[in-house]
Amino acid sequence: MESPSLMSKVNVFLTIDTEHSIGGAFRDPNLKPVGNEKRIFGLIGNKQYGIPLIMDIADRYGIPITFFVEVFNKYFFGAEETREVCNYILNRNHDIQLHIHPNYLNFELHDPTKLVFSDLVGDYSLSRQAEIIEEAKETLISYGVPSPIAFRAGCFGADKNTIKALRRTGFLIDSSYNTAYLENPCLLPDIEINDLAPMHGVWEFPITNFIEHS
């Protein structure tokens, strides 16, 4: 076996998509989205099994975590729901970056079950994507988060225009590329990357994929 001192060192970035659940509300108007208590803090009984437990484990080993926090849930829950999450993460000295699920915009409609707004940011035009991302960025900043530099699309649903929109809105990093979901729902070009790579003026941090042979 190769000596550990000779083995290649690998930088690992642990990231968590931190979001609520639609909870079936788009299928059945009698159902409601699921908020912080269950979906983010993971409260079961008197114990929390969500991001508090994740941070407890990470802190035990001195591991920093980036939480990609979804912000468009404000169209159902209002601002305070995610402000609470951001305060909790920041108070525990972990990183927050931007995550969006544009389908929450449907809650602005009289009948949100009609699903006028796609959940894949890559389904929108370049100019509309830039508007959506800029709004989301400013929302996250309003929750006390330092200006984000990294982005992950909900469902990994970015396309090449998303990358261009990110550059327009001041982002340095995208982390939406996921080989396992290329073409559906990830709309980025199939260029077979699995490591840091430049893309349209932004650095792409792809979701790590590997094949395990039995």
Side-chain angles (χ1 to χ4, degrees):
M1 181 176 179
E2 186 175 8
S3 168
S5 62
L6 299 177
M7 294 174 66
S8 298
K9 293 183 178 180
V10 177
N11 290 320
V12 176
F13 297 89
L14 298 183
T15 64
I16 308 292
D17 289 0
T18 308
E19 59 192 42
H20 300 92
S21 170
I22 296 297
F26 290 148
R27 297 191 305 271
D28 183 347
N30 294 312
L31 299 175
K32 303 297 180 185
V34 183
N36 282 356
E37 189 174 274
K38 292 295 185 184
R39 281 291 297 177
I40 291 182
F41 293 107
L43 183 66
I44 300 176
N46 62 354
K47 293 185 178 181
Q48 294 179 320
Y49 295 92
I51 65 170
L53 179 58
I54 291 171
M55 282 185 254
D56 288 345
I57 296 170
D59 292 348
R60 189 183 309 159
Y61 297 100
I63 299 171
I65 295 180
T66 290
F67 292 88
F68 281 96
V69 175
E70 204 286 319
V71 297
F72 281 143
N73 66 82
K74 68 179 182 178
Y75 286 107
F76 181 83
F77 292 104
E80 291 309 308
E81 189 86 354
T82 299
R83 192 188 308 276
E84 177 188 9
V85 172
C86 290
N87 287 340
Y88 184 86
I89 296 170
L90 292 174
N91 287 337
R92 295 199 57 175
N93 298 312
H94 288 276
D95 180 43
I96 296 175
Q97 299 297 332
L98 183 63
H99 186 52
I100 60 171
H101 276 278
N103 61 351
Y104 274 100
L105 293 165
N106 288 295
F107 287 109
E108 291 189 293
L109 307 174
H110 176 69
D111 181 1
T113 63
K114 291 188 181 300
L115 298 182
V116 171
F117 295 98
S118 171
D119 200 27
L120 305 184
V121 68
D123 283 341
Y124 300 86
S125 68
L126 172 57
S127 60
R128 182 62 177 133
Q129 287 194 54
E131 292 173 354
I132 288 171
I133 292 168
E134 183 64 30
E135 178 190 349
K137 176 182 176 180
E138 293 303 317
T139 299
L140 196 59
I141 291 171
S142 76
Y143 296 156
V145 179
S147 186
I149 62 168
F151 171 85
R152 178 173 293 154
C155 304
F156 311 112
D159 71 348
K160 63 181 181 181
N161 281 335
T162 309
I163 310 303
K164 295 175 182 178
L166 289 171
R167 185 178 182 185
R168 285 189 186 182
T169 51
F171 284 81
L172 303 177
I173 296 167
D174 177 64
S175 186
S176 305
Y177 186 97
N178 190 332
T179 300
Y181 292 94
L182 286 177
E183 297 185 3
N184 184 26
C186 184
L187 307 174
L188 289 167
D190 185 356
I191 54 177
E192 298 184 3
I193 61 172
N194 203 29
D195 200 352
L196 179 66
M199 187 181 292
H200 298 295
V202 172
W203 286 104
E204 184 64 39
F205 274 62
I207 307 301
T208 301
N209 280 261
F210 63 92
I211 297 174
E212 184 175 15
H213 299 284
S214 57

